[in-house]
Amino acid sequence: MASPTVAEYMIRDVVSVSPQMTVKEVSDKMIDSNFHGFPITERGYLLGFVTAKELLRFHDRQDAKMREVMKRGTICCHPDMIIDDAIRVLFRYGIRNLPVVDGDKKLVGIISNIDIVRSQIEKSRPSKVMSVKTFLETQNGIRLRVTTQDVPTELARPTQKEVYRDELIGRQYELKRGLNEPLIVVKRQNGYLIVDGHHRAMAAKELGAKTFRAIVLEPNDMNVSLGLEKTADRWGLHSLNDVKIIEGSKHPFIEMTTMLLPEEELEAINKRLRDAV
């Protein structure tokens, strides 16, 4: 089963404001609505997002146009982003609303904390674990027992050779804030093979964590050699120390969600996340 996407839960009929509106006009519009903020659009393109708190900063400039006082750029996402990643964006950056844009950066919807809560209430049991379990059983002729355990960090063997520094910073921030999304690992004779969650595992390691929470798939035959193990052997991956951290380049997740932000704004966000860790 495919993971639910933002498109399935976002509000499509979005109330927005124009950069030509004054601070007073936007303030009055917000007071008369149930919203805590509005996307700022021009000819359908998303320019930014204004919140009630930001409007208060300009209470003495009621006649100023939003174009003069607005902050350029905003956090955003695409309709095909999975809900779990949208949750991560809202949680990580401490925002209530996430504008949704298409490939041309035009506003097509908005997803809020309320929509996220709704998606989680409607969400069935995690499908990713079952998909991985079924795939491994079919490919290797084994049966897997599923448990949840605290796995020693030093016994984790990666199957991915690179992680990105910017995403690693974000995952560390999430862990410090208590978002402890479990990894998916396969138990082996001498450790645990990571199937999903390399950034989380590396973040836990860099924070000095001795264990991390994981959904463990335990084979009925521990001697069967898995394809992921062969990949790890080929890349020389034996522990998390063998994973390369990519500096400078953006993780695709970060690249997409911050595409409207000026580079200096993104650096300021990453600095805030680093300082919080």
Side-chain angles (χ1 to χ4, degrees), residues 31 56 63 72-73 93 101 117 121 129 131 136-137 170 177 193 232-233 256 267 272:
I31 289 171
L56 284 173
D63 294 329
R72 183 166 56 95
Y93 300 116
V101 297
V117 171
I121 290 174
V129 175
S131 296
L136 290 176
E137 287 179 335
R177 291 288 300 275
L193 199 64
D233 288 338
M256 189 256 285
E267 283 302 313
R272 177 173 64 82

Side-chain angles (χ1 to χ4, degrees), residues 84-100:
D84 286 351
D85 283 343
I87 293 172
R88 182 166 288 113
V89 174
L90 289 165
F91 182 90
R92 180 179 297 176
Y93 300 116
I95 54 181
R96 293 182 175 185
N97 301 282
L98 187 61
V100 186

